[in-house]
Amino acid sequence: MRKLNAPILAPLAVCILALSLAACNGSDTQSSVVTETTTDEGTTTDTSTDFVVEVDPFNFESDALISSITTQTCTLSNGDEASCYKIDIAGAPSNYEIGVFCPRNITSTADEAGIWFDGTGEVYDITGDFILNLPTLYNDNHWQLYDEGTGLVNVTDTQESCDGAARPNVEEQYQNHCVECSIDYVDGGISESFLIPITPVATTQNSSIGNTNVGVALNGVVLAAPAPVEAILGAYTIAAFDDCAGHINLVAGYHYHGEAGCSQTQIQSDGHAAMMGYALDGFGIFGMLNEDGLEPTDLDECRGHTDDTRGYHYHAADVSENMFIGCFKGATAR
Ligand SMILES: [Zn+2]
Ligand SMILES: [Zn+2]
């Protein structure tokens, strides 16, 4: 992984100069938004729940970034001029080792391989039994991901085969393969730069995720658009994820397609689900379940809601769903 020397978060200097911890904790990043409504009866003021929590660079794991977070002017999708953080993530998790992905033979057990989810609400351990069961699962006898003589699974275990298979248009020779790539093929991770509004701006109309990245995880990994399941299965391949719901291709490097708990690094003190990342609109993304094991019941179509501590924020979808959030509530940088 290529890294710049001594990355220091820019706001750290502010905190040191302020010589006060109070200037460095979360309280200075929250600002109340007062909504004034003029009616026939006069002006009413509502300060009840509408406040916005700014992006906090200190939420990122230090090794998640390859350089200091800097501030620059940006134009948002709603046309507003704003201040954005430029966040350069490492493209590899700061808190665990990547892998494993594909099983090697039809007797492999769950801990010898990763997981697969196709967006149907199920997450599967890619065991040998899973490989054997593919024709039944997808109701198609063309599935044959292993050698019947040896029991060995067809795995794209070279850079050339990874390149030919870990793409939407899978080369024909790699049909009926379990697809995986080594992080070594991309020098330990592909760093990526994101512009995220420092102060999230809710928009009147939610915007769809489409085929773009969704955000960044606090441990330095991209939250990617849904995996192109139709193309993957259409080529009789399984684009195996590791147990953290990440996998590798040569263009994007290591990236997540689901929230499996591996990036939930910011534990909340009030029993709320831990924080795992930021969406591109600057709103925080938290785990699906609160500490009591329950999912909030008041999530909107973007999978977000508001509370007095975090302002508007998202709760990630279940890992089986091949998505993180339902839509963007706020404006993203253009
Ligand atoms: Zn992918
Ligand atoms: Zn919440």
Side-chain angles (χ1 to χ4, degrees), residues 272 296 305 307 310 313 315:
H272 188 274
H305 68 169
D307 70 27
R310 287 153 286 265
H313 62 278
H315 284 259

Side-chain angles (χ1 to χ4, degrees), residues 307-327:
D307 70 27
D308 292 341
T309 306
R310 287 153 286 265
Y312 184 85
H313 62 278
Y314 303 106
H315 284 259
D318 186 78
V319 65
S320 64
E321 295 183 62
N322 188 19
M323 62 178 267
F324 297 94
I325 60 176
C327 43

Side-chain angles (χ1 to χ4, degrees), residues 209-215 222-228 255-258 322-324:
I209 303 288
N211 206 25
T212 60
N213 289 328
V214 176
V222 177
L223 308 179
H255 55 279
Y256 288 137
H257 286 294
N322 188 19
M323 62 178 267
F324 297 94

Side-chain angles (χ1 to χ4, degrees), residues 224-225 227-228 241 247-249 255 257:
F241 305 107
H247 65 185
I248 297 159
N249 66 44
H255 55 279
H257 286 294

Side-chain angles (χ1 to χ4, degrees), residues 158-333:
T158 64
Q159 182 162 350
E160 188 184 356
S161 57
C162 137
D163 189 26
R167 53 172 66 222
N169 51 335
V170 177
E171 287 180 17
E172 197 166 345
Q173 59 181 315
Y174 301 118
Q175 291 205 351
N176 269 310
H177 275 69
C178 181
V179 178
E180 67 173 36
C181 299
S182 166
I183 194 71
D184 294 341
Y185 303 158
V186 290
D187 292 334
I190 297 178
S191 62
E192 204 161 335
S193 191
F194 291 89
L195 272 185
I196 296 183
I198 296 173
T199 306
V201 180
T203 49
T204 45
Q205 275 210 320
N206 302 330
S207 28
S208 61
I209 303 288
N211 206 25
T212 60
N213 289 328
V214 176
V216 291
L218 300 179
N219 62 353
V221 178
V222 177
L223 308 179
V229 166
E230 223 168 276
I232 293 166
L233 296 179
Y236 298 95
T237 56
I238 296 294
F241 305 107
D242 63 8
D243 285 342
C244 290
H247 65 185
I248 297 159
N249 66 44
L250 298 185
V251 177
Y254 184 73
H255 55 279
Y256 288 137
H257 286 294
E259 205 293 297
C262 302
S263 57
Q264 289 184 25
T265 55
Q266 286 292 333
I267 307 297
Q268 308 290 293
S269 57
D270 60 355
H272 188 274
M275 188 176 189
M276 55 81 63
Y278 282 103
L280 293 188
D281 59 11
F283 288 120
I285 309 178
F286 295 74
M288 181 172 95
L289 305 176
N290 290 321
E291 265 175 28
D292 60 8
L294 299 175
E295 184 179 12
T297 54
D298 59 346
L299 299 179
D300 62 21
E301 62 171 341
C302 296
R303 297 193 54 81
H305 68 169
T306 301
D307 70 27
D308 292 341
T309 306
R310 287 153 286 265
Y312 184 85
H313 62 278
Y314 303 106
H315 284 259
D318 186 78
V319 65
S320 64
E321 295 183 62
N322 188 19
M323 62 178 267
F324 297 94
I325 60 176
C327 43
F328 290 118
K329 174 77 172 176
T332 54

Side-chain angles (χ1 to χ4, degrees), residues 70-89:
T70 54
T71 303
Q72 67 182 62
T73 315
C74 52
T75 306
L76 302 184
S77 51
N78 64 354
D80 285 1
E81 292 291 312
S83 287
C84 281
Y85 280 135
K86 181 172 173 288
I87 300 171
D88 300 323
I89 58 167

Side-chain angles (χ1 to χ4, degrees), residues 5-16:
N5 287 333
I8 299 169
L9 296 174
L12 186 58
V14 176
C15 294
I16 292 166

